[in-house]
Amino acid sequence: MPELPEVEALRDFLTEHLTGREIVRVLPVAISVLKTYDPPLTALEGHRVAAVHRHGKFLDVETAGGPHLVTHLARAGWLHWKDSLPSGLPKPGKGPLALRVALETGAGFDLTEAGTQKRLAVYVVADPRQVPGVARLGPDPLAADFDEARFAALLDGERRQLKGALRDQSLIAGVGNAYSDEILHAAKMSPFKLAASLTDEETARLYAALRDTLTEAVERSRGIAAGRLKAEKKSGLRVHGRTGEPCPVCGDTIREVSFSDSSLQYCPTCQTGGKPLADRRMSRLLK
């Protein structure tokens, strides 16, 4: 799933390629991705792009005098830029294409979604806060006013484990499964540690890991073409998705805990005092 760094890089890319250009056609291919109906998609046509914003993991294309096109790429969605869009109309039901946006220049972008679980979402709204997922977002962890005191206040009394707390979009916007693993590894903390149990020193360490990990990932992604961002994300991860590989810090073997629809990765030496975390799902498979 694209997370804050990748969506921020897409925002940068689209700011350069869309701003000032006129949208001439918006073609829905998979109707299921469209989550609003008023205003219609056609309300975007004839308007120039004024700006591109990011709200957590949401992309927001703002038009001058028209509505916003807000997109959440979900787990398997992606944006593909094309300097020259194919001629002719795309055929519904053929392949992963979900939506096409065409500009006056002949360029534009496609939104696609692989797999059978269709969760990619597109909204056309007068104000991005009309999108429920945007309205409930917590603060952006890279915002200038997101300081250590504000972070500590968010965690104060938080009874959940750190992994779940970091992924909660209503607590902190933009962090998902991959970067929560990376942040906790950098902070040398167990994903199962309770957020409310952190000392002042641990809170400061987690805050620094949060900001540094996301900032470094954004910098790695900046200037990279949209089509290469997924590969850049994977190459920059130290523990997430690297089960069985050596930890780049201490050399211990990276372990995994599996859940019904996801998994987390961690280093026992760096994060849990050398003790592997219980993984009931894997234990059942090994019996």
Side-chain angles (χ1 to χ4, degrees):
M1 176 184 290
E3 299 179 34
L4 185 156
E6 294 77 49
V7 180
E8 179 66 13
L10 285 174
R11 186 199 67 81
D12 283 349
F13 180 89
L14 291 179
T15 295
E16 178 183 350
H17 289 76
L18 287 183
T19 304
R21 304 313 202 298
E22 182 184 338
I23 297 174
V24 295
R25 196 93 184 259
V26 184
L27 299 168
V29 180
I31 300 299
S32 60
V33 305
L34 190 60
K35 306 305 179 185
T36 56
Y37 62 91
D38 185 21
L41 276 175
T42 53
L44 294 159
E45 298 173 358
H47 292 284
R48 294 190 180 274
V49 175
V52 183
H53 311 280
R54 176 184 60 79
H55 313 285
K57 301 177 192 176
F58 289 83
L59 268 175
D60 170 12
V61 177
E62 177 187 359
T63 63
H68 294 244
L69 176 66
V70 180
T71 302
H72 191 287
L73 294 171
R75 177 170 290 184
W78 198 245
L79 183 148
H80 303 268
W81 178 262
K82 298 181 185 298
D83 291 327
S84 179
L85 287 171
S87 59
L89 298 176
K91 295 181 179 179
K94 299 292 183 180
L97 181 60
L99 187 83
R100 174 167 290 167
V101 176
L103 304 177
E104 58 180 332
T105 60
F109 63 86
D110 288 342
L111 294 178
T112 64
E113 185 172 26
T116 57
Q117 294 186 354
K118 301 301 184 183
R119 297 177 180 175
L120 187 150
V122 174
Y123 308 82
V124 181
V125 290
D127 187 318
R129 288 171 295 184
Q130 292 175 305
V131 177
V134 173
R136 72 179 183 88
L137 286 175
D140 192 291
L142 293 186
D145 61 352
F146 188 79
D147 57 15
E148 186 181 323
R150 190 175 185 188
F151 179 63
L154 290 174
L155 297 184
D156 185 33
E158 177 57 66
R159 301 302 303 172
R160 285 176 295 177
Q161 296 168 341
L162 287 176
K163 174 75 175 179
L166 288 174
R167 292 185 63 187
D168 182 353
Q169 300 304 293
S170 64
L171 190 71
I172 301 171
V175 178
N177 195 31
Y179 285 106
S180 57
D181 283 352
E182 297 298 297
I183 291 163
L184 290 167
H185 179 257
K188 299 185 181 298
M189 293 182 186
S190 168
F192 290 170
K193 186 177 181 66
L194 292 179
S197 71
L198 295 181
T199 64
D200 290 345
E201 184 278 328
E202 288 173 329
T203 299
R205 182 155 34 105
L206 184 59
Y207 172 77
L210 170 70
R211 295 273 289 197
D212 291 348
T213 299
L214 294 177
T215 299
E216 291 168 7
V218 168
E219 290 304 315
R220 283 198 311 270
S221 300
R222 200 178 299 278
I224 294 177
R228 292 170 46 216
L229 280 171
K230 283 186 179 181
E232 170 57 35
K233 175 182 180 178
K234 186 175 181 180
S235 68
L237 298 175
R238 293 173 296 183
V239 291
H240 184 78
R242 299 193 181 279
T243 303
E245 297 181 22
C247 170
V249 175
C250 71
D252 194 2
T253 301
I254 294 170
R255 304 290 187 101
E256 175 177 310
V257 177
S258 298
F259 304 99
S260 59
D261 62 349
S262 65
S263 64
L264 66 82
Q265 286 78 42
Y266 68 99
C267 169
T269 294
C270 290
Q271 296 175 252
T272 61
K275 298 179 181 179
L277 297 172
D279 185 356
R280 295 183 179 89
R281 183 180 178 189
M282 291 302 296
S283 296
R284 289 198 300 269
L285 292 174
L286 294 172
K287 285 182 179 179

